[in-house]
Amino acid sequence: MSHHHNRPAIVVDNGTGYTKLGFASNTAPSFVVPTCVSVSGGGVSSSSSSVLTTQSKKEEKDESNFPGNGNSKKKKKKKAYEYYSHHNHASKSLQDLNYSIGEDALAQINSKTIKWPISNGIVNDWTSMEKFWQKTLLNVLRVEPEEHFFLLTEPPLNPAENRERIGEIMFETFNVPGVHIGVQAVLALNASVALNASAAAASSKKNRNGDEENSGNDTSKRDRNDGLTGTVIDIGDGVTHVIPVCDGYVVSSAIKSVPLAGRDLTRFVQTLMRERGENVPAEEFSRVAQKVKEKYCYVSKDIAKEFELHERNPKEYVIRMEGVRAKTNLPWQADVGYERFLAPEVFFRPDMIAEKENGFGQFSLPELVDNAIQECPIDSRRKLYGNIVLSGGSTMFKGFGKRVKRDVKRVVDKRISESEVKSGNRLKAKSVDVEVFTHDMQRYAVWFGGSVVASMPDFYKSCHTREEYFEYGSQVMRSNVLEKEEVFF
Amino acid sequence: MVYHSAFTELPDSIHASCGVPLLPLRTQTRGPAPKTTDFDIVDEAIQYFRPNVLFRKYAIQSDADKLLIYLTLYISQCLKRLHQNQNQASSSSSSQQGTNNNSKKNLMTEGAKLLFALAHDHFDITTGLGGIIDGPKTFQEGETLKSYLAQCREEIGLRLVDHLYVDEGTKMNKFWMAFARKKFMNKELPEY
C-alpha cells in the first residue's frame, strides 16, 4: 500500500454547478468541469421508455444484492427515487457508454437530455454521478483511480447514506485505495488558515508597509489553532450556506442554508436586461448573463448613489457587450448597466427577487450570519464573528467582503444597543469585532483547502481504506474518521 | 435598505392634510405648497425611485414617507404612460421611416406635454393607495391636499423629463424606462 503514498492524492470537489478536480498540494484545480451528463434517449417515445424503466428497475433490484448494503428499507426508498432519475435512458447496454459530460454535454443541449446529478449541493442522481466521475477521472484527469488516494467533499448536513454511496462507487467501481470525505466548510476554513500562515510570513518580511486592508493586519495575528473556529459563508451556484465551525467541528444545528445563490443571480441579471429590451439573442441570453455576473458585477455601498453615478457618468459605468449571432452571423450589441450592482444586492435584499420571497425568508445574508452565530455556544461567538470566511464563486464580487462586514456589524451593534437600553443602560457591552476574511483562492477555496489537507503527511491515516471497506461494508463510510481518532489539526 | 424620506423633523409652520405634510417645494408652479430653494421631496422621490421601486415591502417611518410613496407611485404612472405612448409612436412611425428626423427631436417636448396633461388629469387622493393617506375629514381638507399633490405632480413631470431622455431629447433613457413595469409595493395609481 505504501507505493500509493508516492503519488499525490486526488482532490475532487463536486459542486452543483462545477466540479473542481486536481492533485493535492497544487494551488489550483487542474480542471473545472460543469457537473452535468448528457444521455442519449432524450427523444425516446413515452411508451418505449416506460418499458425501459421497468426493466432498469428490475436490474436495480438485482444490483442491490451486492455486499455491504445498509438498511434494506432505506435502500428501497432510494431505489424508488432512482426510478425517476432512470426514467429517460436505456438500461445497461452499449448505448449507456455513449454519453458525454461537462462542456461537451452542454454542447449537445439540443439533441440530448442533460442531467445535473447534484442539486442544492447534494447528489441525488447517483447513476449520473458515477458516469460523471468515470469520465472525469479517466478521460479528463487521465489517472488510474486504483493508484491514488481520494479526497472528496460533501456539503454540511449530507445524509450518511450519501456517504455510503460514495464508498460504494469509489471502492467497488473504481477500486481506489482510500477515500477521505471532507466537509466543504471545514476545508474552506483550512484554506484560509493555510493562506493566513503564508500571508503572515510574507507580511513579517514586508514589515507592514501601510495598512492594505482592514482585515489584513488583524487576521495575520491569529495563530494557527484559532483558525478552525470561524463562520463560513459558502455561496455556490445552487445554494448558500452559512456554517459556523468550532474547533474544526461543524455546529450542525446552527447551519443556515438557503436556496438562493449564483444561479438565481444569473437569472436576475437576465430578467433585468430583458426588461430593458437589450438586444441579446435569446439562445445566448443565459450565457451572456452569466458572463455579466462573473465579469462586471460588484457590490455597492449604497444603491441610490450608485444609480446616480451610472446616470451621471454612463461612459464609465455602462459596459457595451458585443457578439455575433450563431445562426445568422449578424452582430448584436447590448449595454450592461445597473444590473452590475443590483445582482449582488440580492444577497442583502432578497425581497428584490419576488418569487424567492418565501424561499429565502425575510432574512438577508448578514442577518443569516448573525442568526447562525447566535445559535452557537456562547463562548465561541466572538471568535465566530471575528473570523468570517468567504468561499465559492459567488462571493468573488468586488466589495462583497466589506459589505458583509459592515452589515453584520450593524446587525450586531443594533442588538447590543437594544439590550443595553433594556438593561436601563446599567450594563455596557464590549463591542464585537467583525472581520471578514477575503483571499485570492475564494473561488476554489474548498478545493484548495482539500488540497492542503490531502498534502499533509497525516492525510493517509484519516482515510477510509479499501481493506476497511471490504472488511466491514459500506457503513464504515458513515462515520467521520475524525471522530474515530485524533488525526490532523 | 429601502430609502426613507429625510424630512422627518418638520417645523410647526408646515401643515398637514389627511396625514400628509405639505412640504415646501422648489417650484414655479401655482398651488398651496410653501416655496423653498433647497433639495425637496420631489428630488428625493426621483432620486429614490429606482432603488425603492424594486422592493415590495416598505415600512412607513414618518408622515413624509406617505408623500414619498405617493410620488413614487406617480412616477411609475408617468413611466407607464410614456411607455404606452412610445409603443404607439413606434408602431405608427415604422410605416414612414426616414422622415422622422424632425419628429425625433420633439420626443422630449412631447413627453413633457404628456406629463403635464397627466399631472392635471382627474385623480383621486385615496383610491389605490391601500389606506396610506387618510380620508379627508372636511371637503376643504381634501381639496387642499389635492391641489398640493397636483402641484407635486406637475413639478415631477418638469424634472423627470431631464432624466428620461438622452442624446438631447431624441432618445428615451432605457435605464429609466425599464422601470415602467415595476410595481412599487404591488400598488398602482388608478387610471382614469
Side-chain angles (χ1 to χ4, degrees):
Chain A
M1 207 181 96
S2 60
H3 68 278
H4 300 306
H5 296 202
N6 299 329
R7 301 176 198 277
I10 289 169
V11 180
V12 184
D13 175 28
N14 294 297
T16 315
Y18 290 95
T19 289
K20 283 72 75 174
L21 63 159
F23 297 98
S25 78
N26 286 2
T27 49
S30 312
F31 297 97
V32 180
V33 187
T35 315
C36 62
V37 180
S38 79
V39 285
S40 52
V44 178
S45 68
S46 59
S47 59
S48 66
S49 80
S50 69
V51 174
L52 288 175
T53 43
T54 46
Q55 257 179 13
S56 64
K57 201 184 171 192
K58 252 185 210 166
E59 260 176 44
E60 300 255 306
K61 268 183 188 161
D62 301 338
E63 210 183 350
S64 67
N65 286 329
F66 59 66
N69 270 331
N71 202 322
S72 65
K73 260 189 191 172
K74 266 173 190 153
K75 216 66 211 182
K76 258 185 200 163
K77 249 189 193 170
K78 216 187 300 165
K79 289 300 169 197
Y81 191 50
E82 266 198 3
Y83 168 76
Y84 293 103
S85 67
H86 260 288
H87 189 64
N88 260 332
H89 66 86
S91 55
K92 300 242 184 307
S93 69
L94 274 181
Q95 227 196 343
D96 254 18
L97 297 173
N98 184 16
Y99 66 93
S100 33
I101 57 152
E103 300 285 354
D104 295 343
L106 289 178
Q108 300 170 320
I109 196 156
N110 294 324
S111 56
K112 292 190 173 178
T113 316
I114 308 279
K115 284 187 176 168
W116 296 82
I118 301 181
S119 65
N120 293 342
I122 292 179
V123 184
N124 58 18
D125 178 356
W126 286 98
T127 325
S128 303
M129 198 67 227
E130 186 177 340
K131 286 181 167 184
F132 180 79
W133 275 334
Q134 185 119 22
K135 280 256 160 125
T136 44
L137 297 179
L138 301 179
N139 297 11
V140 178
L141 206 56
R142 291 168 183 270
V143 291
E144 301 278 0
E146 58 266 34
E147 292 178 354
H148 295 267
F149 274 70
F150 274 73
L151 186 144
L152 297 166
T153 67
E154 64 172 1
L157 303 179
N158 196 23
E161 288 80 11
N162 281 9
R163 229 171 287 150
E164 286 186 22
R165 288 309 288 263
I166 290 180
E168 285 168 20
I169 293 174
M170 280 295 146
F171 290 116
E172 294 176 26
T173 309
F174 296 114
N175 200 26
V176 302
V179 171
H180 175 88
I181 302 175
V183 180
Q184 282 152 7
V186 181
L187 294 176
L189 268 182
N190 271 317
S192 87
V193 171
L195 286 164
N196 265 344
S198 60
S203 72
S204 62
K205 272 183 202 163
K206 264 192 200 165
N207 202 11
R208 275 195 202 174
N209 39 0
D211 47 342
E212 287 175 343
E213 253 184 65
N214 288 345
S215 54
N217 284 334
D218 273 46
T219 45
S220 62
K221 266 186 261 162
R222 294 177 312 189
D223 65 281
R224 210 178 160 78
N225 298 330
D226 273 355
L228 281 186
T229 298
T231 313
V232 178
I233 301 178
D234 186 0
I235 309 180
D237 200 36
V239 70
T240 294
H241 283 298
V242 177
I243 308 147
V245 179
C246 295
D247 302 322
Y249 290 91
V250 172
V251 185
S252 48
S253 60
I255 289 175
K256 303 289 165 202
S257 135
V258 169
L260 185 144
R263 200 170 283 178
D264 301 287
L265 261 57
T266 310
R267 216 171 291 149
F268 187 53
V269 169
Q270 197 174 338
T271 319
L272 287 173
M273 288 179 77
R274 187 172 284 150
E275 276 180 1
R276 207 170 56 228
E278 292 298 346
N279 188 21
V280 182
E283 66 273 15
E284 279 176 55
F285 220 136
S286 64
R287 247 203 357 254
V288 169
Q290 189 165 355
K291 194 179 165 198
V292 168
K293 181 190 77 176
E294 286 169 10
K295 265 182 96 173
Y296 302 128
C297 281
Y298 61 92
V299 179
S300 66
K301 283 188 192 126
D302 182 326
I303 56 173
K305 281 188 187 139
E306 213 65 31
F307 266 118
E308 270 178 58
L309 280 177
H310 273 244
E311 191 171 343
R312 222 177 290 150
N313 207 347
K315 271 185 193 149
E316 209 172 298
Y317 289 96
V318 175
I319 290 168
R320 162 126 324 169
M321 289 185 81
E322 285 168 354
V324 174
R325 280 169 211 266
K327 280 179 188 157
T328 53
N329 271 338
L330 291 172
W332 57 264
Q333 289 181 329
D335 288 332
V336 185
Y338 45 73
E339 51 273 17
R340 292 184 62 199
F341 58 87
L342 279 186
E345 190 71 22
V346 168
F347 290 123
F348 304 94
R349 280 302 309 265
D351 57 333
M352 248 191 319
I353 300 187
E355 76 261 35
K356 287 276 175 176
E357 205 167 14
N358 300 322
F360 203 91
Q362 60 278 60
F363 296 117
S364 65
L365 183 63
E367 283 165 340
L368 283 179
V369 171
D370 186 56
N371 289 352
I373 296 177
Q374 285 301 308
E375 288 171 24
C376 287
I378 196 160
D379 57 342
S380 62
R381 287 184 201 161
R382 272 181 197 275
K383 275 190 193 169
L384 291 172
Y385 280 117
N387 186 21
I388 298 173
V389 173
L390 304 179
S391 143
S394 303
T395 59
M396 299 286 289
F397 301 112
K398 195 171 158 257
F400 187 83
K402 277 185 188 163
R403 177 74 185 274
V404 172
K405 178 180 164 169
R406 186 192 78 182
D407 284 12
V408 172
K409 180 86 178 144
R410 270 187 196 170
V411 176
V412 176
D413 286 349
K414 190 174 165 228
R415 195 186 44 247
I416 288 180
S417 70
E418 274 171 9
S419 59
E420 277 176 355
V421 170
K422 269 183 202 156
S423 78
N425 284 324
R426 276 174 295 129
L427 299 170
K428 284 277 170 244
K430 209 173 103 191
S431 82
V432 172
D433 279 333
V434 177
E435 289 297 343
V436 177
F437 185 69
T438 58
H439 55 76
D440 303 335
M441 299 293 180
Q442 239 158 266
R443 183 187 295 270
Y444 304 125
V446 172
W447 188 91
F448 179 73
S451 164
V452 170
V453 167
S455 59
M456 300 268 178
D458 279 346
F459 168 68
Y460 298 99
K461 278 190 220 159
S462 72
C463 286
H464 301 285
T465 61
R466 185 163 56 204
E467 290 76 12
E468 230 178 25
Y469 178 85
F470 285 114
E471 173 109 25
Y472 301 107
S474 63
Q475 65 264 31
V476 290
M477 304 301 293
R478 285 180 167 256
S479 68
N480 190 333
V481 182
L482 282 173
E483 287 161 18
K484 206 168 59 186
E485 48 182 335
E486 286 287 317
V487 208
F488 42 79
F489 296 119
Chain B
M1 355 130 239
V2 280
Y3 294 89
H4 293 278
S5 175
F7 299 100
T8 48
E9 279 168 32
L10 306 174
D12 293 338
S13 60
I14 287 175
H15 301 287
S17 298
C18 310
V20 176
L22 307 185
L23 294 167
L25 297 179
R26 195 179 71 240
T27 182
Q28 308 290 326
T29 56
R30 265 190 279 167
K35 301 275 193 289
T36 177
T37 51
D38 302 329
F39 184 83
D40 63 5
I41 185 86
V42 171
D43 286 323
E44 209 172 38
I46 292 175
Q47 184 187 0
Y48 292 158
F49 171 73
R50 289 191 295 173
N52 272 352
V53 84
L54 295 162
F55 303 115
R56 300 180 143 214
K57 288 176 211 152
Y58 189 94
I60 298 172
Q61 288 185 351
S62 67
D63 285 344
D65 275 351
K66 295 178 186 172
L67 188 52
L68 192 68
I69 289 173
Y70 182 84
L71 298 181
T72 306
L73 291 171
Y74 178 67
I75 294 174
S76 276
Q77 200 181 11
C78 289
L79 292 184
K80 213 172 127 197
R81 180 60 63 85
L82 289 174
H83 187 68
Q84 287 164 355
N85 188 53
Q86 190 189 14
N87 284 350
Q88 281 167 13
S90 68
S91 60
S92 64
S93 73
S94 61
S95 54
Q96 34 169 319
Q97 272 176 354
T99 58
N100 56 3
N101 266 348
N102 278 331
S103 64
K104 240 187 177 178
K105 281 261 158 67
N106 293 334
L107 261 181
M108 190 165 165
T109 40
E110 191 193 331
K113 269 184 209 161
L114 213 79
L115 292 187
F116 183 82
L118 182 64
H120 293 286
D121 215 354
H122 171 76
F123 69 97
D124 196 16
I125 51 173
T126 49
T127 45
L129 288 167
I132 290 167
I133 295 177
D134 306 334
K137 288 187 196 76
T138 62
F139 177 76
Q140 190 52 42
E141 193 182 14
E143 284 306 298
T144 313
L145 182 65
K146 211 164 166 181
S147 52
Y148 175 75
L149 290 181
Q151 208 180 351
C152 290
R153 285 159 69 112
E154 191 179 336
E155 191 57 33
I156 279 186
L158 287 172
R159 291 187 212 168
L160 202 57
V161 284
D162 290 336
H163 295 276
L164 294 186
Y165 294 90
V166 287
D167 297 345
E168 291 160 7
T170 55
K171 234 171 86 186
M172 295 219 84
N173 186 350
K174 60 180 172 182
F175 294 112
W176 270 85
M177 291 314 289
F179 289 81
R181 61 184 80 181
K182 293 265 189 256
K183 272 188 177 177
F184 181 51
M185 302 166 78
N186 231 354
K187 286 189 176 59
E188 249 181 320
L189 292 183
E191 295 268 352
Y192 292 101

